[in-house]
Amino acid sequence: MEAPRLAQPVLAILFAPLLLGVVNRVKAWVGGRRGPPVLQAYWDLAKLLRKGAVYSRSTTWIFRAGPIVGVCAALVATALLPVGDTPALMGFPGDLILLAYVFGLARFFTVLAALDTGSSFEGMGASREVQFSALAEPALLLALAAVARNTGSTSLTGMMQGISVHAWTTAGPALALVSAALLLVFLAENARIPVDDPATHLELTMIHEVMVLDHGGPDFAFVLYGAALKLWVLGALLVGIAVPVRSGDPWIDAAGFAAGMLALAVVVGAVESSMARLKLLRVPQLLAGAAALSALALILVLR
Amino acid sequence: MSLFFVGIGVLLVGGLLSAAAGRNGPWSGRLGALGAVVGCGLALAPAVGVLGTGVALESRLPWPMPGGSFRVEIDALSAFFLLPILALSALAAVYGTGYLRPAPRPPGAHWLYYNALVAGMALTVAARNGILFLIAWETMTLASFFLVTYDHQKESVREAGWIYMVATHLGTAFLLALFLLLQKSSGSLDFDRLEPGTHAGLLFVLAVLGFGTKAGFLPLHVWLPEAHPAAPSHVSALMSGVMIKTGIYGLVRILTLLGPPPLWWGWLLVGIGATSGILGVLFALAQHDLKRLLAYHSVENIGIIALGLGLGVLGVASGSHTLAVLGFAGGLLHVANHAAFKGLLFLGAGAVLHATGAREIDHLGGLQKKMPWTAGCFLVGAAAISGLPPLNGFVSEFLIYLGAFRAVSGLGTGVAVPAIAVIGSLALIGGLAAACFSKAYGMVFLGEARSGHAEHAHDPGGAMVAPMLVLAAACAAIGLAGPWVVRAIGPAIAALAGPGDLPETGLLGRVSLGAGAFLALAALLAFLRSRLLAGRRVGAAATWGCGYAAPSPRMQYTASSYAQPLTDLLRLFLRTRKHLRQPGGYFPGPSSLETETPDVCRDRIFEPVFRGFGWVLARLNWLQVGQVHLYVLYIALTLLALLIWRLH
């Protein structure tokens, strides 16, 4: 196996928490604050890993399994994603299905861990999570189906290799629609504004944050790290399609990819600074809109 | 082949002995279950042999019935369906010995019907003659009717049995028409002599209606959510796990007899699969009764199977061998997978019912701590039915997805459009199924007990736990050994997709690799955390309640509230009824909210139609005098009239 294939997992493992730092820095800059250091997420993780733990008396092994499943699922997903032209560590035709479903597994266990506490807050968050993800799933897979049609490939590696400046000039509208749909899925799945507010402090209004209220110490470090990895992986999927830097040189591709990820973090920060979160009842409409965008893209590439 | 007949014989003898043992309850139960286990084991051997060698077993005997000979054959397709039927029957029989104790009455009759049902199913998939097939089919139907009405003292059970009886015979009516037409065009009812003639399309639609009623295609599914909860749990497992699959078997068997399919058959199956799948899981989500929820999930899974078969038909019709193999492999494998995880889930629900006496999800909770074995097995089943890796549900859904993505990326619009429908509906079904099973497992087994029912529960005995463990192991094994499993059922896939190799199914090895990597990483992280926490303070506290330190179980989220956002969003399809008594005034009295989600298809389609039938038939009431000799006269007159018509 050639070393470049390790690029995506290594980049993700090392730099996933950095992405959060950039987003927060952008938000602080727009808001006129100094904001936390860019490396804050790393300090948080180090602090949490040094702590003990407190478990609720209601909980069972399910509660302790949740954070581990979250991290492992995201790690497996990093092995399925390529960087530019460089193939993925473990890519194969149909790997995008595995990618979608390992995140499904992680969600299933996060939700069960939340229900294990018997807390009504966490039950509420779990209920919202399954509702929104059930609607985001078709948008994600239909968007990838449009890319599959356009590039004639069913593996993420093949799809990313098929995306190029040329593909954007010939099928630009379809790819733009796919990118928009994926951006919405990315924001929803990672609990960002306008679907969920990661900075909120009221249990009643949270989605992702409220599900992990009872986790502490190393468990919470796993939760945070798993969330950062998920942000990275879904972001990398979007950047792979929206940023067509394919030079054949792994270094230039990686540089283009890194620039794309940074730009995505800035976009997320800008979105979070410029708008409030949607009413919970409006979120399904947003996600149905994402699925509709994917379907439109499919119609464009089908002809 | 003789081993197969001996197995059927042992089944029937065991049932008869059990019934004869009558008053002696324990012996009666043991004899019946022993007959079932031994009979299934004997009949299983030739089926395994056929799948291993690929050589079909056959026997043909003359018999006095019209329409050909008494012909029985086990080819790859029959063997593939026999495997889950016989294995699950044996496991459920073992479970049944524990479940029926303490019995309200001697279980002899129950075991007679149970063994007759198993024998009927086995004969249904092995029969190669229309008449023999219908006889086996009816045996299966009648035996299962008596099993459903085991608790016949309850009115709801009698009503469920009645609905089942009517629905399933409606389906059989279509099958009679199907076989009559086939007899007309080919002059024989032996399957190897059948000629579809010129109206293959009509025959296919009749088969979809007739077999679809048994399988539970929407809107013909109305009997499922009534009959499955009413039956004893091991019978529910058997009916939901394998009996409804005889409908799928009938459909694919007819497909092999009707010659090359046109494209629209695939479109039809994909359409049926998408509606059954999505609406099935939606209805499941709105249920409060654990077994009713599982019954609606059977509709969903039958939908997924239909999506796979539809893709396979599209592949054959468009000449794409890869698509045909992936579609049929996914559909067939999902048949076996559904038998494993749905059997497991019904047995788990039965264990909960046995231990607590409650089927209402909102009355349960916290059983993970009290019934750890049952809970662990149920969790495996719940994750598997949600199609999550590394379990078996993902393997079959992966094959269907892969076929659909192949079709979208490389085939013409006539195939790509239904393939897109497959992708979209599978994705939605997957998300909703995860929502539904996180609710079912989370509310029943996690948190704290919501009522006195759940407080003193404990795991059932070994006879009930062992079958669940075997099924859970099967779910994990198929999930991790995907490529080998697909190769093992290769002959059955080739019977539908056409001869040739099995392209792309080797990719399941990569899925297994990913699953293995996942499990290894999980073990590593768990070890890492235990090392980190070693020597540090690990405390126990109450769940966080914004500072409130004495939370009560009644403060937990309930199953109804958990599902409410989704059921409200999709109320257009569900038509959930709410009975709300709001608190009011300065000193509010008691208030309440009840919701129920009746079956829309039953309320909107079948009720009015059958009310119309009832009105018409009431006009003929004068014919029904209640005297047997007059009824015999009716039969004689009818035969006479038919004779005259024939002579004419």
Side-chain angles (χ1 to χ4, degrees):
Chain A
M1 189 191 310
E2 329 107 80
R5 287 182 161 228
L6 282 168
Q8 187 65 266
V10 170
L11 286 176
I13 289 169
L14 290 181
F15 297 117
L18 185 67
L19 215 53
L20 286 172
V22 176
V23 172
N24 286 333
R25 215 41 199 270
V26 171
K27 279 164 76 175
W29 181 74
V30 175
R33 294 176 282 121
R34 259 207 7 244
V38 179
L39 298 181
Q40 184 62 43
Y42 294 93
W43 310 139
D44 289 347
L45 287 174
K47 181 184 75 184
L48 287 166
L49 284 174
R50 284 200 303 272
K51 289 191 172 230
V54 178
Y55 295 109
S56 157
R57 273 184 285 272
S58 298
T59 58
T60 62
W61 65 270
I62 299 279
F63 179 77
R64 300 171 194 218
I68 290 181
V69 173
V71 175
C72 295
L75 283 176
V76 170
T78 61
L80 303 173
L81 270 179
V83 178
D85 263 341
T86 315
L89 180 62
M90 220 177 63
F92 57 92
D95 51 5
L96 53 107
I97 305 155
L98 186 61
L99 180 101
Y101 274 70
V102 287
F103 281 126
L105 180 69
R107 183 182 315 121
F108 192 71
F109 269 85
T110 310
V111 161
L112 288 186
L115 293 177
D116 202 11
T117 61
S119 150
S120 49
F121 293 129
E122 297 187 35
M124 206 177 285
S127 163
R128 291 169 185 164
E129 172 90 0
V130 293
Q131 183 198 7
F132 297 154
S133 60
L135 298 172
E137 201 98 314
L140 173 66
L141 283 166
L142 287 177
L144 291 176
V147 183
R149 178 84 185 175
N150 188 43
T151 58
S153 172
T154 51
S155 76
L156 287 168
T157 299
M159 286 181 183
M160 300 297 171
Q161 285 169 347
I163 299 274
S164 57
V165 178
H166 175 70
W168 268 90
T169 48
T170 50
L175 288 178
L177 287 170
V178 166
S179 303
L182 284 179
L183 178 65
L184 291 178
V185 171
F186 167 81
L187 293 174
E189 284 284 329
N190 289 302
R192 313 299 304 190
I193 286 178
V195 174
D196 188 10
D197 185 357
T200 183
H201 287 287
L202 187 61
E203 284 91 340
L204 277 174
T205 62
M206 303 179 192
I207 301 172
H208 181 76
E209 298 289 306
V210 77
M211 285 199 294
V212 297
L213 271 183
D214 266 272
H215 288 289
D219 288 288
F220 193 55
F222 289 168
V223 168
L224 284 183
Y225 190 58
L229 280 175
K230 187 176 180 184
L231 185 78
W232 179 278
V233 168
L234 290 178
L237 190 63
L238 172 57
V239 166
I241 289 165
V243 182
V245 179
R246 305 286 185 273
S247 62
D249 181 306
W251 290 103
I252 299 178
D253 281 8
F257 171 73
M261 292 299 273
L262 271 180
L264 179 64
V266 173
V267 168
V268 173
V271 168
E272 301 209 343
S273 313
S274 58
M275 65 187 292
R277 57 180 288 175
L278 290 173
K279 243 180 6 179
L280 282 171
L281 291 175
R282 296 280 301 278
V283 173
Q285 298 171 9
L286 182 78
L287 293 171
L293 290 179
S294 302
L296 265 179
L298 268 168
I299 291 171
L300 284 180
V301 293
L302 262 184
R303 56 184 170 87
Chain B
M1 197 68 210
S2 49
L3 215 50
F4 178 73
F5 286 117
V6 173
I8 300 268
V10 170
L11 272 168
L12 295 177
V13 169
L16 287 172
L17 282 179
S18 170
R23 295 268 167 269
N24 192 337
W27 271 106
S28 171
R30 268 172 229 154
L31 278 171
L34 189 71
V37 172
V38 173
C40 288
L42 288 174
L44 206 51
V48 173
V50 167
L51 270 187
T53 59
V55 183
L57 302 169
E58 192 193 350
S59 86
R60 186 193 289 262
L61 304 166
W63 69 336
M65 290 286 190
S69 50
F70 183 97
R71 188 162 162 261
V72 174
E73 185 191 39
I74 303 181
D75 60 359
L77 201 56
S78 297
F80 169 75
F81 277 86
L82 277 174
L83 234 51
I85 287 176
L86 296 171
L88 187 63
S89 299
L91 289 170
V94 174
Y95 178 95
T97 57
Y99 187 76
L100 290 181
R101 217 179 310 143
R105 59 178 179 280
H110 167 82
W111 287 109
L112 176 61
Y113 295 129
Y114 184 90
N115 289 4
L117 169 62
V118 179
M121 288 192 292
L123 210 54
T124 299
V125 296
R128 287 296 180 281
N129 172 283
I131 305 262
L132 181 61
F133 179 88
L134 285 175
I135 290 174
W137 184 264
E138 273 304 287
T139 312
M140 184 174 89
T141 302
L142 290 177
S144 52
F145 167 76
F146 288 112
L147 288 171
V148 167
T149 51
Y150 178 75
D151 287 321
H152 56 79
Q153 296 91 342
K154 293 185 195 151
E155 197 193 333
S156 62
V157 170
R158 288 201 301 274
E159 198 197 324
W162 173 239
I163 290 178
Y164 172 50
M165 195 71 163
V166 172
T168 190
H169 279 96
L170 222 63
T172 310
F174 288 110
L175 294 186
L176 278 177
L178 169 73
F179 281 113
L180 279 178
L181 284 176
L182 278 171
Q183 155 98 347
K184 214 164 158 240
S185 61
S186 43
S188 164
L189 276 174
D190 280 350
F191 282 6
D192 52 352
R193 299 206 188 110
L194 288 185
E195 295 284 334
T198 48
H199 37 251
L202 175 66
L203 296 177
F204 178 72
V205 171
L206 282 175
V208 165
L209 287 171
F211 292 120
T213 311
K214 182 62 98 186
F217 288 162
L218 210 102
L220 306 167
H221 70 284
V222 284
W223 64 271
L224 265 116
E226 306 299 328
H228 289 185
S233 294
H234 59 292
V235 176
S236 318
L238 202 56
M239 288 176 69
S240 180
V242 289
M243 194 191 77
I244 60 173
K245 307 301 166 36
T246 56
I248 297 293
Y249 165 78
L251 192 60
V252 294
R253 176 62 71 192
I254 288 295
L255 266 181
T256 62
L257 299 175
L258 290 184
L263 215 49
W264 68 266
W265 294 7
W267 281 68
L268 181 67
L269 281 177
V270 167
I272 290 173
T275 26
S276 301
I278 295 172
L279 291 180
V281 67
L282 265 187
F283 280 115
L285 199 59
Q287 301 306 318
H288 307 308
D289 176 325
L290 186 55
K291 285 181 76 177
R292 222 176 138 80
L293 178 148
L294 292 177
Y296 271 114
H297 265 284
S298 297
V299 180
E300 173 226 317
N301 279 283
I302 287 291
I304 295 177
I305 293 169
L307 288 176
L309 298 180
L311 274 186
V313 170
L314 287 171
V316 173
S318 66
S320 163
H321 184 61
T322 308
L323 178 58
V325 165
L326 287 173
F328 283 126
L332 284 185
L333 194 55
H334 205 73
V335 167
N337 287 342
H338 183 242
F341 54 63
K342 186 50 74 62
L344 173 59
L345 288 167
F346 263 118
L347 296 187
V352 169
L353 178 61
H354 197 252
T356 64
R359 287 197 329 215
E360 284 281 310
I361 298 174
D362 282 339
H363 290 172
L364 297 164
L367 292 179
Q368 172 84 42
K369 291 191 253 335
K370 282 154 189 145
M371 308 174 70
W373 289 101
T374 307
C377 292
F378 198 94
L379 175 64
V380 171
I385 200 172
S386 308
L388 298 175
L391 296 163
N392 59 350
F394 178 70
V395 173
S396 37
E397 288 192 24
F398 176 82
L399 290 172
I400 299 175
Y401 264 125
L402 186 60
F405 270 100
R406 276 292 185 220
V408 171
S409 69
L411 294 176
T413 323
V415 180
V417 169
I420 289 168
V422 169
I423 293 172
S425 43
L426 262 186
L428 191 59
I429 292 169
L432 291 174
C436 193
F437 273 93
S438 57
K439 161 182 140 170
Y441 176 77
M443 296 301 163
V444 173
F445 291 99
L446 301 178
E448 298 287 347
R450 289 184 175 77
S451 73
H453 294 295
E455 262 167 20
H456 306 293
H458 55 83
D459 261 325
M464 287 169 72
V465 172
M468 291 195 277
L469 285 175
V470 172
L471 287 172
C475 288
I478 299 176
L480 290 171
W484 294 280
V485 174
V486 171
R487 211 171 305 142
I489 65 166
I493 299 167
L496 294 169
D501 54 350
L502 301 170
E504 308 247 319
T505 52
L507 290 173
L508 284 173
R510 303 296 195 85
V511 173
S512 305
L513 189 68
F518 171 83
L519 293 175
L521 282 171
L524 186 71
L525 271 188
F527 174 73
L528 180 71
R529 183 178 57 188
S530 72
R531 286 300 302 272
L532 280 175
L533 287 178
R536 293 189 198 156
R537 207 167 57 85
V538 176
T543 293
W544 170 247
C546 291
Y548 185 68
S552 92
R554 289 194 52 190
M555 291 164 62
Q556 293 174 96
Y557 229 47
T558 63
S560 321
S561 41
Y562 185 75
Q564 185 263 344
L566 268 171
T567 52
D568 258 20
L569 180 68
L570 300 158
R571 59 185 172 277
L572 182 67
F573 304 102
L574 288 172
R575 312 264 166 192
T576 300
R577 291 190 197 131
K578 287 186 181 171
H579 310 285
L580 175 64
R581 200 145 57 104
Q582 270 180 323
Y586 292 113
F587 300 98
S591 54
S592 66
L593 169 66
E594 282 171 44
T595 60
E596 57 165 334
T597 309
D599 198 295
V600 172
C601 298
R602 191 183 151 188
D603 278 14
R604 300 285 162 109
I605 303 175
F606 291 98
E607 287 267 1
V609 169
F610 276 85
R611 215 174 296 128
F613 273 136
W615 186 85
V616 171
L617 293 177
R619 308 298 113 188
L620 295 173
N621 217 349
W622 53 272
L623 278 169
Q624 191 182 11
V625 288
Q627 289 175 16
V628 176
H629 49 268
L630 268 180
Y631 293 162
V632 175
L633 181 67
Y634 292 161
I635 294 174
L637 283 177
T638 314
L639 283 176
L640 194 66
L642 285 174
L643 203 63
I644 292 169
W645 176 67
R646 186 77 190 142
L647 288 175
H648 181 70

